[in-house]
């Protein structure tokens, strides 16, 4: 399997995972099946759509290949009929989101490098691909986006994109093993943040001066 094929299947898996998180959020909001499909699709293809628009890869990926939309629809329908089997749907959402975050951080960077963009831009594309779909899901469902919460989130995508970019573009290491390591590191960081509630220090306001 070539790196291009691997990126495609990883990206398709990531779309399915993110679509499931969108459908789980729809289940928490007690939406109908149309709502499930809409939220799942927004979440699944949101990050990749923004990435393609930024890089000028139009028509965007889900217009060129309907498999992406079909994946979102199928994921939404499956969750619609099975979500009641999960007792803690928000916990499942967080862990699946972590999985998608790690996948898209790597594949977004890989796509950026395949377009012969600079390493810095490739890393940024990885973060956009990994976070924008989840942000749309949270905003549409009136949730505080995970990216804005005081916990390690986008940094996980940054780590995966950084490892892949440095390993392949700068050190010229084999792409597939580097992609696997990058994915595992990104997921491990997000998993640690969820498990141990890791976060960066937040800004503490100070009393204003009296003049």
């Amino acid at each position: 399997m070539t790196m291009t094929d691997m990126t495609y299947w990883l990206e398709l898996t990531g779309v399915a995972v993110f679509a499931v998180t969108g459908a789980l959020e729809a289940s928490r909001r007690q939406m109908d099946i149309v709502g499930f499909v809409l939220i799942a699709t927004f979440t699944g293809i949101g990050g990749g759509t923004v990435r393609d628009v930024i890089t000028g890869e139009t028509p965007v990926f889900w217009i060129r290949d309907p498999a992406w939309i079909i994946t979102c629809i199928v994921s939404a329908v499956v969750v619609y009929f099975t979500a009641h089997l999960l007792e803690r749907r928000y916990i499942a959402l967080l862990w699946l989101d972590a999985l998608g975050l790690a996948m898209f951080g790597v594949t977004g960077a890989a796509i950026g490098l395949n377009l012969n963009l600079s390493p810095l831009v490739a890393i940024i594309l990885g973060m956009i691909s990994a976070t924008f779909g989840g942000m749309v899901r949270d905003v549409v469902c009136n949730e505080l986006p995970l990216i804005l919460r005081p916990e390690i989130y986008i940094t996980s995508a940054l780590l995966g994109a950084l490892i892949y970019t440095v390993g392949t573009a700068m050190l010229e290491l084999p792409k597939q093993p580097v992609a696997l390591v990058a994915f595992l590191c990104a997921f491990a960081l997000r998993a640690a943040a969820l498990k141990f509630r890791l976060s960066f220090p937040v800004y503490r306001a100070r009393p204003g001066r009296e003049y």
Side-chain angles (χ1 to χ4, degrees):
M1 180 183 293
T2 65
M3 188 60 204
T4 301
D5 292 335
M6 183 177 178
T7 300
Y8 176 84
W9 288 108
L10 273 176
E11 187 101 335
L12 192 62
T13 303
V15 165
V17 169
F18 266 142
V20 168
T21 69
L24 285 173
E25 185 61 34
S27 74
R28 295 178 67 236
R29 302 290 172 174
Q30 299 183 338
M31 296 182 181
D32 60 19
I33 194 166
V34 176
F36 272 66
V37 171
L38 286 176
I39 301 302
T41 303
F42 290 160
T43 310
I45 66 174
T49 299
V50 174
R51 179 199 62 223
D52 282 3
V53 169
I54 290 174
T55 58
E57 289 292 298
T58 53
V60 296
F61 68 103
W62 53 268
I63 294 178
R64 298 193 301 266
D65 183 357
W68 306 95
I69 294 293
I70 294 172
T71 298
C72 292
I73 295 172
V74 170
S75 300
V77 172
V78 170
V79 174
Y80 180 80
F81 289 106
T82 60
H84 65 281
L85 301 175
L86 290 173
E87 294 183 3
R88 305 177 69 187
R89 276 171 279 177
Y90 189 64
I91 299 300
L93 185 157
L94 289 176
W95 283 98
L96 288 171
D97 185 89
L99 192 63
L101 186 78
M103 287 181 180
F104 275 117
V106 176
T107 59
I111 290 171
L113 293 176
N114 288 342
L115 295 173
N116 297 317
L117 302 176
S118 71
L120 176 60
V121 173
I123 292 170
I124 293 172
L125 287 179
M127 292 190 292
I128 290 173
S129 301
T131 58
F132 198 86
M135 185 168 63
V136 171
R137 174 197 64 216
D138 293 341
V139 169
V140 171
C141 294
N142 199 31
E143 286 274 357
L144 178 65
L146 288 172
I147 195 173
L148 298 180
R149 298 183 187 183
E151 58 186 74
I152 293 177
Y153 185 74
I154 193 172
T155 309
S156 302
L158 169 62
L159 179 63
L162 181 65
I163 291 174
Y164 180 82
T165 301
V166 171
T168 60
M170 298 180 180
L171 301 180
E172 298 184 353
L173 298 174
K175 293 181 178 180
Q176 294 182 357
V178 173
L180 179 60
V181 171
F183 163 74
L184 291 175
C185 290
F187 180 73
L189 179 59
R190 179 60 182 150
L194 289 172
K195 184 70 174 178
F196 303 109
R197 298 183 180 180
L198 302 179
S199 63
F200 294 113
V202 298
Y203 173 76
R204 300 293 182 185
R206 301 176 183 177
R209 292 183 181 181
E210 292 186 5
Y211 294 93

